[in-house]
Each structure stands twice: as structure tokens, then as C-alpha cells.
Amino acid sequence: MTTREEGLTQIIEVFKDVLDDQSITLSESTTASDVEDWDSLNHIQLVVAVEKKFKVRFTSKEIQSWANVGEMITCILSK
Amino acid sequence: MKHFNEIKRNIKKDFSSFKTIKIALLGDTSTQFLNVALRGLAYDYHLNIDIFEADFNQIELQLLNTDSEVYQFKADYVIIFYASHKLLNKFYKTNVEARTAFANNKINQLREICNTINQHLTTKIILYNFPEIDDQIFGNYANKIISSWLYQQRKLNIELSALSASIGNLFICDLVSLQNQIGKSNMFRPSVYVNSEMVLNIEALPEVAARTLSIINANDGKIKKCLILDLDNTTWGGIIGDDGIENIQIGGLGIGKAFSELQYWAKELKNRGIILAVCSKNTESIAKEPFEKHPDMVLRLEDIAVFVANWENKAANIKHIQSILNIGFDSMVFLDDNPFERNMVREHIPEITVPELPEDPAEYLEYLYTLNLFETVSFSALDAERTTQYQVEAQRTQLQQSFVNEDDFLVSLNMVSKIEPFTKFNTPRVAQLSQRSNQFNLRTVRYNEAAIAQIGLDENYASFSFNLEDKFGDNGLICAIILEKISKEIFFIDSWFMSCRVLKRGMENFVLNTIVSFAKNNGSSFLKGEYLPTPKNDMVKDHYKNLGFEEQENYWFLNLTTFEPKKTFIQNK
């Protein structure tokens, strides 16, 4: 079972990879508007990459529901 | 296949040394990621793609209105992406009575779009066909119901192929085949579609981009022309030298079936114009024995253009095969079951394609099916004769070695050439030669069938095609010239390309004599030529200089009033 901290670390890796930006830092309270390039299109790519990393599948509703990174982690851990 | 993310990162790389291709991309769903995938993957194809992406859902608006941005952009390719999902939605909104004509109506619309484009642009059109959605409204029974979605969708895909057969510059990018290969769940992700209006799953984008670019690449003359086969455990099971002819595995039983089916596939490629060669570590006589005597062999010696079996290293042998065929290493594919040999060949000849064959021979064919190795943009009935022509070429090489004097050899060939303008009969072959010739090609302007036909009809152009026959046989149509009358005095040599099969026969002199006399008879005083260098046409760098043209500001001029006909051993047929 992944802890929230491990989850966050892995999500940061995914973000760095997908957005091609090694300087990205995230916390649980980070929202899309805090990260340059985290637009609606890249969001889809991030979601698919996170799914792959954690070997989970999100529902369409979940994909749209997260207000911040913490909620994404909660969602992953609930799977 | 690379992942979308890797491809996307390519976009930041330096494309400045690559050829630029202008693409207009239009879709009825979101095409932003497809745009990224095409541009990014193009880096690996050494292409710099300049994309005009139309606003969302503007296909008809842009393409039927000839004042639109697309028409101003003057794209080399117009790529049109109608999504199956949108089409299904339209189908459901169609009156039941009108549904039997649904596919036909869509085809008529697509034909109108293509015709409008072709009336106003010189471009090529790439259209994606429709990956199947089985809506299960009738179950299997849909096959009996002409007005069902499944029936109409399948009909549409077939009619689309027919449309592309009738419009020379329309190319279908086969997403139906791709979905069949990678599976619908990889092709389409409902959650991605719902959240982004994209019908292509991110995992499928690199595949779709590769399929699309392969059409562009083939149009640019980058095609595979030759398949080189290893023998033991590639062409048949077992080792001929150890096991003997009666014990190798081939035929209908067990694992032999896998090798037989691979041979049928290779033979089919040969019949469509791919040259087959053999490169094997074996004693030649033993290696040839199955081809001559084994009842279950599909491939026979006459199918193989160049047969090399010895104990030299394979890279050296492949270089030998290349020197006989006179084609680029990048147009060759080498199949070998042995990972060591594969790596050795890759290391010494990086341009060649060496598929990473699976360990189990039963998997060979299915794996090869996924690679789309032999994309092409032309096909003519003459292609099937190519192997014979290369075999005959080998005989000529032997004869040549028996003559000390080059001229004596050329005289002994009894060469005759038939000269014709471009006609509807030779258009396919001329277009094909235009696409395929890389080395002996002065300007490397690629013309498709429609463009060649157009030039044949245009009064400002004079066209010449040359056949060459000799005592060994007919080489077929091997050279073409396009002259453009640019002034009263001057004909410009828009195109001069020739098959490398007929190098060193004095064809250049014969061709020059022919076009000079034509130009003189039409009141001209000068021929103007141009050499545009590519990575492959270094061979003709001094072509015009050698023929007596004089250089002036990057062009070459030949004064016809002082021209003396060149020596030639070719008779006019």
C-alpha cells in the first residue's frame, strides 16, 4: 500500500516527465493554476500517465473532480 | 513504438536541417494532440512539419470555401480526419428511410471535397478511414440489414478505398487496420474522449502519426525495395548443413507451417515488386539445394535476385548485394533469426532496417505485420518483373567482364530504345519512377500519377519516356524527361530521372540527342538544366557539365546551335 507521501513523490515524477520540466514541485494543495503548462489538454496526458504509473483507471467523473493534487492522491489510494 | 511523451519532447529539438513539409490538418474532433504527435515523430523521419491546424470542426467550411485559410496556406498535404464517433452520431440523426444511402451520401460529400481541393490546389490528400464501432443494435443480424450502422460503416470504408483508387492524389490512412492490430481499447479511451473531445487515445497517437508519416515518406521516395533473407531458421526450420534437405522444417506440418507462410508472404512481396535476396552463412551448393529440390519450398531460385551463401561476415555480404542492386541501404530490410547477426549488421550498416524477430518462428509473420515495412504510393503491373530484370543485370555484368573495351561491350548489347510522350498507359510507371529514383535524379521533384497526366496534357511542357531493350531482354521504362518551355528560346529541363539499373549504357547521350533535336525542331536555341543536391543524388552532380552544358548562376545552359550529337550505341526503335 502506497502512503500519501510516496504517492506525492511519484506524482511529482509523472508531472516532471509529462510537462518536461525538472523544476516542478508539488504539494497536496497545489492546483492546476499553480503550475505553468497544466492546462486542460495536458491534464488528459497527466491523467493517463498517472493511471499508468499507479496501474489504476479513473472514471470520467473523477478526472474532472479533483480540486488539487491531494484529492488526486486520495482518489488513487481509494482504488 | 515510442511513447507520446517522448515524441512530444522531440518538438524542442533542432529541425532546421530537415526538409519542410506543409500540412493542413482538419478534424471534426480535437486534433491538437495529433498535431503534436505528427510534428514530434517527424523528427525521427528527418522531416520538419509546418502544420496549419484548422479550428475545431471546420472541415467543410474550410475545404469547400476556396477563399479559406487552408487554400491560402498551400499545403503539401491536406489531412482530413472524420471520426467514427461523430459519424455514428450523424447516422442516428438520419431518417430511417435515408439510412440505406448513408455511406453513399458520405462518399459523395468526400468526393466533392477532394474535387474542390484538386481544382484549386496542387497537394496530396490524406483521409483517415473509419475504425469500426459495433453498436450492437442488431447483433450479428446487422449484416443482413442494409440500413444498419454496421453495414453502412463497412460499406463506407470499402467505398472509401474505391474513391481513393479513382483519385490519384487521395491516400487513405488505414485506421481500420491499425485498430485491428492494436485493439479498440488501445485505440479509443472513453474517459479521454469524454473529457477532451479527442477520439484517439494517447497510447494510439504515436501509431497513428507513424501511419500518417509513412504515407508522406513514401511519397518522398523513402520506400523499401529489397528484402534480404537469412536461410537456416529464418526461411526454413533447422540447419541445412547439419540436418540435410530431408530434415529441414517446411511445409504444412507443425512449425514447418510458420516458415512456409513466411515464404508465401515473401513471394507475394516479390510479385508486387520487392526484390528478394538471400544472405546466408552456408556452402552455396548446399544452401541452394532446397530451392531446387525440396517439394515444399515456396520460394525457388528464380524468385531470388541475388543469392549469396558463403562464410564471409553478413555485413560484407549485404554490401555486396547492395553493389549489385545499386539501391540505398535504407531501402533494404534484413531478416535473420540470430540476434548476433542482426546486431552485427545494424552496427556496420546503420541505414538498413533489421526487424527484431521474435524468438518463436510461429510469431515471425504476426510481428512483421505490425511494422508496415513496405508502404508504397505506386504500383504497376511491371513491378512483378523487377526480379527478372535484376537477374538479367547480373548476366550483363558477367558479359561485360569478357570485354576489354567498353564500346565493344555496348555494341554487343544491341540496345534499342522506344521514346514516347507521357500517355495514360505509361503514366503509372513514370510516376513511380519519379517517386523511386533517388540517385539519378537531377532535381528530385516528385510527381504523382495525376501530376504526370497533367504534364502530358499541358502545352507548355514536352514529355519523354524512354524504354530500353537489349539482347538480354526488356528493361522497361527506365528514364523520363520533362521539358518546360520557359521562353521562345529556352526549354528548361524540369525533370531528368533514370533508373540506376541502366547506368553506364550511354543512355544519357541518347537522351540528350533526343531532347536537343526536339528543342531545335521547336525553334529553341538553349536547353537550361539545374542540379538540386540531395543526400542521395551526388552521382549526377557533374551530369550537365559532363554533357557539355555551361554554368551560369547555378543553372546549366547548352547552346543548341553549336551542339554536336553525342556518341551513342542505342538505336531509336
Side-chain angles (χ1 to χ4, degrees), chain B residues 376-391:
Chain B
T376 186
V377 288
S378 62
F379 174 70
S380 89
L382 294 171
D383 290 0
E385 294 165 26
R386 195 164 289 126
T387 298
T388 321
Q389 286 164 346
Y390 280 104
Q391 285 167 339

Side-chain angles (χ1 to χ4, degrees), chain B residues 228-259:
Chain B
I228 305 173
L229 296 164
D230 165 57
L231 296 179
D232 293 334
N233 288 318
T234 303
T235 299
W236 54 63
I239 297 166
I240 185 70
D242 295 340
D243 301 336
I245 187 166
E246 61 281 359
N247 291 319
I248 59 167
Q249 291 139 1
I250 184 94
L253 288 176
I255 194 67
K257 190 158 58 187
F259 296 103

Side-chain angles (χ1 to χ4, degrees), chain A residues 14-28:
Chain A
V14 171
F15 272 60
K16 283 180 176 172
D17 186 43
V18 169
L19 302 177
D20 197 17
D21 180 355
Q22 289 306 312
S23 69
I24 285 178
T25 53
L26 302 173
S27 70
E28 291 213 10

Side-chain angles (χ1 to χ4, degrees), chain B residues 289-306:
Chain B
E289 214 186 337
F291 288 87
E292 292 161 338
K293 294 182 188 158
H294 200 296
D296 293 330
M297 280 289 285
V298 179
L299 295 174
R300 296 290 168 185
L301 282 183
E302 64 263 26
D303 297 318
I304 310 297
V306 185

Side-chain angles (χ1 to χ4, degrees), chain A residues 17 41 45 51 57 64, chain B residues 5 8-9 33 189 195:
Chain A
D17 186 43
L41 209 56
Q45 214 196 325
E51 282 183 337
R57 281 260 173 150
Q64 292 169 325
Chain B
N5 219 14
K8 188 176 161 190
R9 243 172 258 142
F33 275 14
R189 276 286 302 280
N195 281 298

